[in-house]
Amino acid sequence: MGVSAWAAEQDHTGGDPLGSMQWPELRKKYVGNAPMQFTDKVIVRTPAFADDAMNVPLQVDARALGNVGGGIKSILVMADRNPIHEILTFEPLRSAPVLAFRIKLEQGSPIRALVQTKDGQWHVGGSFAQAAGGGCTVPGLTRADGSWSKTLNQVHAKFFSNVLDGPNNRRLRVQIMHPMDTGLVAGIPAFHIEHLELLDGTGQAWWRMELHEPISENPLITFEMPKEGPKDFTLKGRDNGGNRIEAEVRA
């Protein structure tokens, strides 16, 4: 590619290292005029090719920004080429800025984590995942067989020792039973979990999360938390149908 062609491509993608034509509009919508930089300090891990477009594994790790700009305010995860761009927004609060979960992909797409630090700066990392496609426009298994209503909003949660990151951390894995309908399947309206938070016995939140339709059915989310701290928590949330989620979580 010649210099002039390269410059033209860079102009159309806003300098995006993943070469996404959608990025300039997404930046305008979600970042606006706030200062932003691409960085390898925000790590997004996903398979190079996802065989199951309804269950694409994803890990976001922003720990390298823990001491930047006063600390992390929030993490927005999105897929450029999904019909619904937003996947989730995570406020780490007292937990580590690390998440693992599964998403739906309608087609191969850049997947990004936009991390806002408390000084207002945005730090953007991402990776490209190819996918067989159609993950957002077909019903999930429990929707197809009708079993979702029997388990709706049941919670399974467990703490684990985190041997990979040493003795000072513990891992929390949470699963909430929910069909997570995108609203893009004929005759099935959007129906998804929209808010989750983990509270200690004093009512203090350790993390908060806003979820969107591209999260996979029966979301399974892994968090990293300090080993020192309360042993008893309450998980609270709701879906967009007004159904409440509440469960005790004990270490």
Side-chain angles (χ1 to χ4, degrees):
M1 180 184 294
V3 173
S4 60
W6 180 86
E9 180 177 329
Q10 293 298 300
D11 183 60
H12 282 94
T13 66
D16 176 26
L18 297 175
S20 170
M21 302 293 282
Q22 293 82 14
W23 170 247
E25 286 301 315
L26 293 173
R27 174 179 177 169
K28 185 186 301 183
K29 180 177 180 180
Y30 295 106
V31 178
N33 295 321
M36 186 225 79
Q37 60 182 327
F38 296 107
T39 178
D40 58 7
K41 291 183 177 180
V42 178
I43 301 170
V44 177
R45 297 186 178 98
T46 189
F49 186 88
D51 294 317
D52 182 356
M54 297 183 70
N55 289 282
V56 181
L58 182 64
Q59 185 193 50
V60 175
D61 186 343
R63 285 175 291 184
L65 294 175
N67 295 318
V68 174
I72 292 172
K73 180 180 178 181
S74 65
I75 301 173
L76 169 61
V77 183
M78 67 169 61
D80 288 26
R81 297 181 185 171
N82 261 6
I84 303 167
H85 301 300
E86 293 175 79
I87 297 170
L88 60 78
T89 300
F90 176 51
E91 296 179 64
L93 302 176
R94 302 181 181 192
S95 66
V98 183
L99 278 177
F101 52 99
R102 292 176 182 266
I103 66 171
K104 305 166 192 166
L105 275 182
E106 186 62 15
Q107 60 181 303
S109 175
I111 303 174
R112 304 181 192 273
L114 284 66
V115 180
Q116 187 179 35
T117 46
K118 293 178 181 178
D119 61 359
Q121 299 264 351
W122 288 88
H123 311 261
V124 180
S127 63
F128 194 98
Q130 292 286 0
C136 296
T137 51
V138 294
L141 294 176
T142 60
R143 174 62 73 178
D145 65 19
S147 62
W148 66 271
S149 61
K150 299 175 183 177
T151 59
L152 182 67
N153 287 339
Q154 289 182 7
V155 175
H156 308 280
K158 187 174 182 180
F159 277 96
F160 297 86
S161 297
N162 188 347
V163 296
L164 295 179
D165 286 343
N168 296 322
N169 295 319
R170 51 183 170 169
R171 180 166 292 167
L172 172 62
R173 188 165 293 159
V174 174
Q175 183 172 38
I176 303 111
M177 307 304 288
H178 202 285
M180 299 298 289
D181 299 311
T182 62
L184 301 174
V185 179
I188 303 176
F191 183 45
H192 61 93
I193 301 168
E194 60 181 11
H195 179 79
L196 290 174
E197 59 184 346
L198 189 71
L199 306 173
D200 64 21
T202 69
Q204 294 292 313
W206 283 63
W207 51 256
R208 293 193 190 96
M209 177 180 292
E210 304 297 322
L211 297 86
H212 298 278
E213 297 92 322
I215 296 287
S216 294
E217 177 184 31
N218 300 329
L220 177 64
I221 309 172
T222 302
F223 303 86
E224 304 290 342
M225 298 179 59
K227 184 173 183 180
E228 297 302 322
K231 304 298 183 184
D232 297 322
F233 296 89
T234 302
L235 178 73
K236 290 188 175 183
R238 64 179 182 274
D239 64 27
N240 68 329
N243 301 296
R244 297 290 173 176
I245 300 165
E246 185 165 348
E248 299 303 313
V249 180
R250 294 184 172 86

